[in-house]
Amino acid sequence: EPEVTQTPSHQVTQMGQEVILRCVPISNHLYFYWYRQILGQKVEFLVSFYNNEISEKSEIFDDQFSVERPDGSNFTLKIRSTKLEDSAMYFCASIPAGGGPFEQYFGPGTRLTVT
Amino acid sequence: AQSVAQPEDQVNVAEGNPLTVKCTYSVSGNPYLFWYVQYPNRGLQFLLKYITGDNLVKGSYGFEAEFNKSQTSFHLKKPSALVSDSALYFCAVRPTSGTYKYIFGTGTRLKVLA
């Protein structure tokens, strides 16, 4: 069964550093999402992405965050200058298309630790 | 504002007993409804969804969910709980127009006791 992959599984960085989290969505999927989860609690929407553009974003997704699909497979989340409160699990998800009752396929997550 | 509520942070149930994890939503129209499960240090896995039709939908691992339009609820159920069902469960809602965003509940931790 196809799956979403994410790298790295764990990233440790110092406050103020830039990090890039990588995701490879399922190959024929067109709509992509990033979420974060702090301490195994609620899943917070960050951003959705379609056709090489941000479709929607939350209040969390400020100027420190950016997303990109640099090639036909990778989907990245960049945090320009990390803060302690950015420490969380970050999940990528994808669906085949925007419309329709599609369930999201989630990657295993990247645990980001900011020290 | 559109929202999803999971009123119980934790549900404890004895193995072999039926379980219910509650979810209610406040979303206009007839949204799509989903349940996901998360095991420790893993991503979310899809369990089941409601689109239209029969109010009782069946999903993976013996789980089912009951949709109630008048109460705007979508409770997750299983007739006989297993210890291996212990995990974090999330209800999610996708409006059918205006957005492709999925709105998640805060999660309910299910603990099945042997």
Side-chain angles (χ1 to χ4, degrees):
Chain A
E1 187 177 324
E3 58 181 22
V4 177
T5 59
Q6 289 185 243
T7 54
S9 56
H10 191 189
Q11 173 91 47
V12 181
T13 189
Q14 289 190 325
M15 198 167 52
Q17 296 296 305
E18 174 183 287
V19 294
I20 297 176
L21 310 183
R22 291 183 169 79
C23 168
V24 179
I26 294 171
S27 63
N28 62 347
H29 284 193
L30 300 176
Y31 221 93
F32 314 116
Y33 301 80
W34 282 103
Y35 294 88
R36 78 174 185 190
Q37 184 182 37
I38 297 174
L39 291 178
Q41 295 178 25
K42 64 180 180 179
V43 174
E44 298 177 296
F45 169 77
L46 292 177
V47 66
S48 59
F49 190 86
Y50 172 71
N51 202 25
N52 286 320
E53 288 185 347
I54 290 175
S55 181
E56 294 174 86
K57 60 182 182 179
S58 73
E59 317 77 56
I60 303 167
F61 195 88
D62 61 22
D63 292 344
Q64 294 299 312
F65 291 88
S66 62
V67 288
E68 199 176 39
R69 193 147 194 249
D71 52 44
S73 57
N74 288 283
F75 177 50
T76 62
L77 174 70
K78 183 193 289 185
I79 309 175
R80 270 183 259 285
S81 178
T82 49
K83 306 183 186 72
L84 293 176
E85 54 265 35
D86 293 328
S87 294
M89 281 290 288
Y90 288 81
F91 293 103
C92 169
S94 67
I95 59 174
F102 301 109
E103 63 269 23
Q104 291 180 304
Y105 289 75
F106 282 83
T110 292
R111 181 175 299 280
L112 177 64
T113 302
V114 182
T115 61
Chain B
Q2 299 176 326
S3 63
V4 176
Q6 292 182 242
E8 302 150 319
D9 289 337
Q10 181 158 320
V11 169
N12 295 329
V13 64
E15 188 175 31
N17 281 3
L19 70 88
T20 298
V21 182
K22 295 179 181 174
C23 172
T24 59
Y25 61 91
S26 176
V27 175
S28 57
N30 299 305
Y32 305 129
L33 308 168
F34 303 85
W35 275 101
Y36 292 86
V37 60
Q38 185 182 31
Y39 297 101
N41 302 311
R42 303 284 295 275
L44 279 71
Q45 295 176 38
F46 168 72
L47 275 181
L48 50 79
K49 65 184 173 186
Y50 176 82
I51 305 168
T52 187
D54 193 351
N55 288 346
L56 188 67
V57 293
K58 294 188 184 298
S60 308
Y61 313 120
F63 283 93
E64 55 193 29
E66 186 168 17
F67 168 63
N68 186 315
K69 185 170 183 175
S70 63
Q71 296 184 3
T72 59
S73 67
F74 188 54
H75 299 332
L76 181 70
K77 299 176 186 241
K78 188 173 183 182
S80 178
L82 300 172
V83 171
S84 57
D85 293 330
S86 299
L88 189 54
Y89 290 81
F90 289 97
C91 179
V93 171
R94 228 297 291 281
T96 51
S97 65
T99 179
Y100 294 150
K101 191 166 118 177
Y102 294 71
I103 305 161
F104 281 80
T106 50
T108 297
R109 193 165 298 281
L110 174 67
K111 192 168 182 180
V112 182
L113 308 167

